[in-house]
Amino acid sequence: MLTVLTLEEGSRLSWRKELTLFFQVTGNYDPYSMPPCIILSEGDLFQKHIDIGNGKLVIGSRPLWNGIASILPVLDGRLPGTVIEPGLFVSWKKEAHDYVFPQIATTIKGIALIETDGSSFRILRYRPLKRDKDL
């Protein structure tokens, strides 16, 4: 079980486009085994208060392995303390670190609790998160 942050529609669509290019170049089908999301933690943090500030994040371009998956690390933005290094999901394989993505900005929409077996996922719970207003 994973606790993840989901992306707003525009961010989700942009990220899906990048993942399609990743699949076309690498043949790695893993991005389709999870929704576009930022992995926060292994386990259930769903009921905890999640402070995301204005919800805007800047994401790195080089995947790294966080012990669970290859992710793009969060370079800037507010996220809660987590059990693992949080990041935008790329793949279940360590080898994904050879691919370089464009650096992107994204916006968080909500939090979800996901059950996954590495080839498919099921959303167990979901709720939108409140963001601080930009001044």
Side-chain angles (χ1 to χ4, degrees):
M1 195 170 352
L2 298 172
T3 302
V4 302
L5 297 175
T6 62
L7 308 181
E8 274 194 333
E9 188 68 8
S11 296
R12 187 185 68 77
L13 293 172
S14 294
W15 180 234
R16 263 297 171 220
K17 183 178 176 184
E18 292 302 326
L19 289 176
T20 298
L21 294 173
F22 171 74
F23 169 71
Q24 290 171 345
V25 170
T26 66
N28 184 338
Y29 193 77
D30 285 356
Y32 300 106
S33 68
M34 285 280 282
C37 64
I38 294 170
I39 297 177
L40 273 188
S41 169
E42 210 171 7
D44 185 351
L45 295 180
F46 190 82
Q47 295 299 337
K48 296 194 185 277
H49 172 74
I50 304 290
D51 182 8
I52 58 169
N54 64 6
K56 295 180 181 180
L57 303 175
V58 176
I59 306 296
S61 59
R62 293 200 168 267
L64 59 87
W65 182 255
N66 70 0
I68 297 173
S70 288
I71 53 112
L72 294 180
V74 176
L75 300 178
D76 190 30
R78 189 181 317 163
L79 289 177
T82 59
V83 177
I84 61 168
E85 183 168 354
L88 193 56
F89 175 79
V90 174
S91 174
W92 298 115
K93 297 174 182 70
K94 287 183 181 180
E95 298 79 33
H97 69 270
D98 295 335
Y99 188 88
V100 178
F101 291 88
Q103 188 174 25
I104 64 167
T106 190
T107 306
I108 298 167
K109 180 177 184 177
I111 186 169
L113 194 58
I114 292 181
E115 184 177 75
T116 182
D117 63 6
S119 63
S120 64
F121 69 93
R122 183 171 67 141
I123 296 175
L124 303 174
R125 300 177 79 186
Y126 169 81
R127 70 179 159 95
L129 293 175
K130 293 187 180 195
R131 295 180 294 219
D132 298 342
K133 296 191 186 290
D134 288 327
L135 298 176

